[in-house]
Amino acid sequence: MFKVIDKIEKPYDENLTLVFQGKVEICPWLSEDNRKLIEKVMEKEEFNGEKNKKVKISFMEHGNLVTLTYVGCGKKEEFSKDDLREVLFKSLNGLKGTVLISSNEKELRDKEIYGEIVYNVNYSFDRYMESKSNKIDVDLFIENLENKDESLEKSLGEMVNFARNLVDEPANVINPETLALRAENLGKECGFEVEIFDEYRVAELGMEAFLAVARASKIRPRMIVMRYMGDKENKNIVGLVGKGLTYDTGGLCLKTADGMLEMKTDMGGAATVIGTMGALAKNKVKKNVVAVVAACENAIGSNAYRPGDIIKTMNGKTIEIINTDAEGRVTLADALTYIIREEKVTEVIDIATLTGGVMVALGTLNTGLFSNNDEMADKFLQASKNVGEKYWRLPLNKEYGELIKSNVADIKNSAGRWASSITASKFLEEFVEGKPWIHLDIAGTAYLNSDGKWLKKGATGVGVRTIFNYVINK
């Protein structure tokens, strides 16, 4: 799918050369006649390397038909890594067969970005379609390259796409039981431990909040615990918690039909932490990480939990249920308590498709980030810049905590529309017991309804690359 080479040893279906504006150079290994042909075509098309402008030329060279496309990347001094992502995605999307890419400019040969975009372009959820999408094999030519190893780029691409596939699968395929099985199989493949708790084990732990959300579904809940100990002499353990609602009807506070259509994606946080564990283990990262997913369905039925119910959590706090469609935070409450008390993590990141409010605030471009620790948040935001994912930190002023106080219980699970993503985060903060903590609300970024600048429509696998980068740089 993606490879870095320093010798060209075969013909390709497509050949792309990336150039900056005003710095167009023609391949020196071509015959003089073909070099003149390219010059004439460029002159006719007025091509000078302007961003996203292309000129495509076909000619015979040494008995082979060569199709060569020059891709303009704009002015070098204005160019960014995001521009490279955009240019590559637009250039590669829709191609088929084998593709060779080259450039004389170092800034246009970032193999990490090439790996990311090639896996983006090749991802498609077409398992249930008769017609399959085209796939491409891309070789990036870098002459005299010291490090050709692209194993990191491949493993990250594979695990991001693994997470995307989990999210894109329908809820009749991915449910708490099958999600646990997929995690278990990935653990065996990549080298991390997986332990699955059934509802009886969960009940023994006192996770009444998690079980309340799960109880109306015919498909029983599972708690998925994944452990990767890459540095057993180190006592520091990063905890990851992913929201695992494999389908969300809204419960008795029923969603509309349109509102339910994409609720197979409500386990996007779970998919991210499972994919991240695979990436860490595949690369034998020397860090300790434990991930937990409280997987269930929020269904309707005669035994469904109700607005007005008061439910006890694993840490002893009680929750007044205001809205059964604010269920994710209720399951996360017990998952956070478990990972802190039982797995002894030293810090924790939770990731969840939690609120529509974060979409109102940030749309589908930025993930909302909340934290009780400035140093941890700053390191995470730097990790996101390293890999090109976008996050925006939102406030957690203590005054917002007043909005989730209940008159009949310790806290309530919904404070209404105002500052809903913040009050949901304040709810979660009640269960982190003072540990350094980050909450990521991916409701707007886990799934796209149309193509982005360098992501296809559908699941995005958001968070895998950033969390991986954060962990390895701790």
Side-chain angles (χ1 to χ4, degrees), residues 384-403:
S384 74
K385 291 177 182 177
N386 293 342
V387 301
E389 290 188 334
K390 300 184 187 305
Y391 295 79
W392 192 263
R393 189 176 180 184
L394 291 161
L396 275 179
N397 307 61
K398 64 179 181 179
E399 289 83 0
Y400 288 111
E402 298 295 316
L403 301 177

Side-chain angles (χ1 to χ4, degrees), residues 286-420:
K286 292 185 177 181
K287 304 289 181 181
N288 302 320
V289 185
V290 175
V292 171
V293 172
C296 66
E297 292 183 337
N298 186 21
I300 55 173
S302 59
N303 65 333
Y305 81 129
R306 298 157 292 237
D309 284 358
I310 297 175
I311 296 167
K312 191 176 180 181
T313 63
M314 182 180 175
N315 81 347
K317 291 184 188 293
T318 54
I319 303 170
E320 178 190 7
I321 302 302
I322 302 298
N323 188 336
T324 62
D325 197 21
E327 84 300 327
R329 68 201 70 177
V330 178
T331 66
L332 289 170
D334 278 346
L336 286 165
T337 300
Y338 171 83
I339 202 169
I340 290 167
R341 292 188 177 181
E342 301 297 323
E343 299 296 334
K344 311 299 182 185
V345 299
T346 48
E347 62 180 70
V348 62
I349 300 170
D350 78 76
I351 181 164
T353 48
L354 205 66
T355 67
V358 81
M359 299 175 68
V360 174
L362 301 175
T364 60
L365 182 61
N366 281 273
T367 292
L369 182 152
F370 305 81
S371 182
N372 64 358
N373 187 286
D374 292 342
E375 182 181 356
M376 185 181 181
D378 289 344
K379 287 181 179 179
F380 191 90
L381 288 169
Q382 182 56 55
S384 74
K385 291 177 182 177
N386 293 342
V387 301
E389 290 188 334
K390 300 184 187 305
Y391 295 79
W392 192 263
R393 189 176 180 184
L394 291 161
L396 275 179
N397 307 61
K398 64 179 181 179
E399 289 83 0
Y400 288 111
E402 298 295 316
L403 301 177
I404 59 168
K405 285 187 175 179
S406 167
N407 293 324
V408 294
D410 293 319
I411 51 175
K412 56 187 179 182
N413 79 325
S414 176
R417 292 179 59 200
W418 301 118
S420 61

Side-chain angles (χ1 to χ4, degrees), residues 191-207:
F192 61 89
E193 177 190 345
V194 181
E195 186 176 7
I196 309 300
F197 296 3
D198 63 18
E199 62 185 304
Y200 303 105
R201 178 86 178 274
V202 169
E204 288 173 0
L205 289 165
M207 302 174 81

Side-chain angles (χ1 to χ4, degrees), residues 130-394:
E130 186 175 350
S131 177
K132 308 296 183 184
S133 63
N134 294 320
K135 299 288 191 294
I136 54 174
D137 289 312
V138 176
D139 286 356
L140 171 61
F141 174 69
I142 305 178
E143 200 170 10
N144 301 319
L145 179 67
E146 293 183 2
N147 179 18
K148 292 193 296 181
D149 182 20
E150 64 282 308
S151 59
L152 174 62
E153 289 76 24
K154 285 183 176 179
S155 63
L156 278 174
E158 288 168 359
M159 289 302 99
V160 170
N161 285 356
F162 182 90
R164 295 166 89 170
N165 187 261
L166 286 178
V167 175
D168 275 329
E169 285 279 15
N172 62 316
V173 173
I174 293 295
N175 57 49
E177 296 172 356
T178 56
L179 183 65
L181 183 61
R182 298 259 183 126
E184 197 169 39
N185 289 338
L186 187 69
K188 291 175 182 176
E189 175 190 331
C190 297
F192 61 89
E193 177 190 345
V194 181
E195 186 176 7
I196 309 300
F197 296 3
D198 63 18
E199 62 185 304
Y200 303 105
R201 178 86 178 274
V202 169
E204 288 173 0
L205 289 165
M207 302 174 81
E208 295 178 20
F210 171 32
L211 292 176
V213 176
R215 71 190 185 203
S217 176
K218 181 179 178 181
I219 301 173
R220 306 315 301 148
R222 294 289 185 271
M223 190 165 78
I224 308 165
V225 181
M226 296 159 278
R227 304 181 185 95
Y228 172 74
M229 297 297 170
D231 186 5
K232 294 182 179 179
E233 294 181 2
N234 192 333
K235 293 182 180 180
N236 292 322
I237 304 173
V238 178
L240 305 178
V241 176
K243 178 182 171 183
L245 268 292
T246 59
Y247 196 76
D248 178 22
T249 66
L252 292 180
C253 300
L254 194 65
K255 294 179 184 288
T256 64
D258 287 344
M260 270 190 261
L261 186 59
E262 292 176 358
M263 282 301 101
K264 66 177 186 177
T265 69
D266 213 17
M267 38 62 70
T272 292
V273 301
I274 294 170
T276 302
M277 293 298 285
L280 292 166
K282 271 197 165 194
N283 288 285
K284 296 180 170 56
V285 173
K286 292 185 177 181
K287 304 289 181 181
N288 302 320
V289 185
V290 175
V292 171
V293 172
C296 66
E297 292 183 337
N298 186 21
I300 55 173
S302 59
N303 65 333
Y305 81 129
R306 298 157 292 237
D309 284 358
I310 297 175
I311 296 167
K312 191 176 180 181
T313 63
M314 182 180 175
N315 81 347
K317 291 184 188 293
T318 54
I319 303 170
E320 178 190 7
I321 302 302
I322 302 298
N323 188 336
T324 62
D325 197 21
E327 84 300 327
R329 68 201 70 177
V330 178
T331 66
L332 289 170
D334 278 346
L336 286 165
T337 300
Y338 171 83
I339 202 169
I340 290 167
R341 292 188 177 181
E342 301 297 323
E343 299 296 334
K344 311 299 182 185
V345 299
T346 48
E347 62 180 70
V348 62
I349 300 170
D350 78 76
I351 181 164
T353 48
L354 205 66
T355 67
V358 81
M359 299 175 68
V360 174
L362 301 175
T364 60
L365 182 61
N366 281 273
T367 292
L369 182 152
F370 305 81
S371 182
N372 64 358
N373 187 286
D374 292 342
E375 182 181 356
M376 185 181 181
D378 289 344
K379 287 181 179 179
F380 191 90
L381 288 169
Q382 182 56 55
S384 74
K385 291 177 182 177
N386 293 342
V387 301
E389 290 188 334
K390 300 184 187 305
Y391 295 79
W392 192 263
R393 189 176 180 184
L394 291 161

Side-chain angles (χ1 to χ4, degrees), residues 65-116:
L65 177 64
V66 177
T67 300
L68 179 58
T69 302
Y70 282 85
V71 180
C73 296
K75 296 178 181 179
K76 185 174 183 176
E77 60 272 18
E78 297 175 357
F79 198 72
S80 70
K81 290 188 175 185
D82 281 355
D83 290 321
L84 180 57
R85 290 181 171 93
E86 181 182 352
V87 167
L88 284 175
F89 184 79
K90 287 182 177 179
S91 300
L92 294 173
N93 200 19
L95 297 183
K96 57 184 177 180
T98 57
V99 182
L100 175 69
I101 307 182
S102 62
S103 178
N104 290 328
E105 304 286 350
K106 181 181 178 181
E107 294 85 350
L108 301 178
R109 301 195 304 255
D110 188 322
K111 66 182 182 128
E112 291 183 9
I113 292 178
Y114 275 81
E116 172 191 339

